[in-house]
Amino acid sequence: MLNDNLEAQAQAIFEEQFASMYLSGDLPKGWRKQRLDSICTVKGGKRLPPNSELLDYPTDHPYIRVRDVGTSRYVCLTDQFQYIDEETHQAISRYIVNTDDIVISIVGTIGLIGKIHSTLNKANLTENCVKLTNVVDITPDYLYYTLCMKKNNKEIDLLTVGAVQAKLPMYNIQSIDIVIPPEDMISSFQRRMDMFNSQIEANTLEIQRLVELSNVLLAKLSG
């Protein structure tokens, strides 16, 4: 897929510029390491209240499940989403995501990582994911690719606990070390990412439109 090639290029740029610093014992002047929870807020999602249920028809409140995070960078609204009603939303309204938040699955299929698309701004988040929000000193894209690198290097696996039902605890996520480059390097990296972002986002939305159209046509043919 075209997005796979673009994402591979973006990841390669990140690793070329920054990966070696994660292996370095001594960082150059102007670089530093910080715990993840010192550069962003890590917050959990929320289980549905008793007697509440997910709805198959659209409301104003999509509910992000682990299966919705998938394997691509953007987590965007699709026709596969389920929703909650207004009363349920009010009960868990503090557990929402915002555009550009990073989400990580912590139960079930652990370690799925995604960046929230604007179509899911203010959507509710399952308790089986956490969100990384209010990012400072770096950018969400830098954080996303850092976490993807750590996942590919099996570092995320080492943070998982539990034999019967594996889980990635929030305190383990909070303790992840993040290399913070100088501000000018972050800015330069993000300018390059922005060129990828616009194309990846356009492709993601176009792919989704084609999938939805295909589903409609198949439904008509089968009917």
Side-chain angles (χ1 to χ4, degrees), residues 1 8 32 42 64 113 119 126-127 140 187 213:
M1 290 176 59
R32 65 187 189 277
V42 184
I64 302 172
I113 305 167
T119 54
T126 172
E127 78 277 10
S187 297
L213 178 60

Side-chain angles (χ1 to χ4, degrees), residues 14-203:
F14 170 86
E15 293 189 359
E16 178 183 349
Q17 286 190 257
F18 305 114
S20 63
M21 295 302 172
Y22 281 89
L23 303 174
S24 174
D26 295 312
L27 293 174
K29 184 178 180 180
W31 296 65
R32 65 187 189 277
K33 281 187 180 180
Q34 292 186 206
R35 279 173 50 113
L36 180 61
D37 59 359
S38 72
I39 58 172
C40 69
T41 303
V42 184
K43 296 185 69 174
K46 185 66 173 178
R47 184 188 301 272
L48 293 180
N51 302 320
S52 299
E53 60 181 16
L54 291 172
L55 308 173
D56 293 325
Y57 56 86
T59 70
D60 291 334
H61 308 295
Y63 187 82
I64 302 172
R65 304 156 296 175
V66 169
R67 62 180 291 182
D68 300 315
V69 179
T71 56
S72 59
R73 173 153 50 126
Y74 283 108
V75 185
C76 61
L77 186 64
T78 73
D79 61 357
Q80 300 300 307
F81 266 73
Q82 291 183 294
Y83 298 79
I84 56 177
D85 59 27
E86 183 64 32
E87 181 180 357
T88 303
H89 170 71
Q90 290 300 324
I92 59 174
S93 60
R94 292 187 300 147
Y95 301 91
I96 60 172
V97 295
N98 294 291
T99 303
D100 290 339
D101 284 351
I102 305 298
V103 294
I104 306 175
S105 60
I106 60 171
V107 176
T109 305
I110 295 173
L112 295 176
I113 305 167
K115 180 183 174 186
I116 296 298
H117 185 263
S118 58
T119 54
L120 286 172
N121 188 44
K122 307 301 183 185
N124 293 93
L125 182 66
T126 172
E127 78 277 10
N128 294 328
C129 290
V130 298
K131 69 172 183 177
L132 313 180
T133 189
N134 302 323
V135 178
V136 297
D137 294 334
I138 56 173
T139 65
D141 284 322
Y142 178 90
L143 179 55
Y144 172 82
Y145 285 114
T146 295
L147 294 172
C148 286
M149 180 191 69
K150 287 178 175 291
K151 179 183 177 182
N152 292 338
N153 293 343
K154 307 299 182 182
E155 291 180 50
I156 299 295
D157 292 349
L158 297 175
L159 301 176
T160 302
V161 300
V164 177
Q165 183 179 27
K167 183 174 183 177
L168 180 58
M170 187 182 298
Y171 59 80
N172 279 356
I173 297 173
Q174 292 170 326
S175 68
I176 293 174
D177 280 333
I178 304 295
V179 170
I180 312 296
E183 184 177 350
D184 61 332
M185 291 194 69
I186 284 289
S187 297
S188 175
F189 170 76
Q190 191 57 47
R191 284 195 294 271
R192 299 180 74 180
M193 290 302 101
D194 288 342
M195 292 187 290
F196 285 97
N197 289 348
S198 57
Q199 188 59 60
I200 290 171
E201 182 173 3
N203 291 344

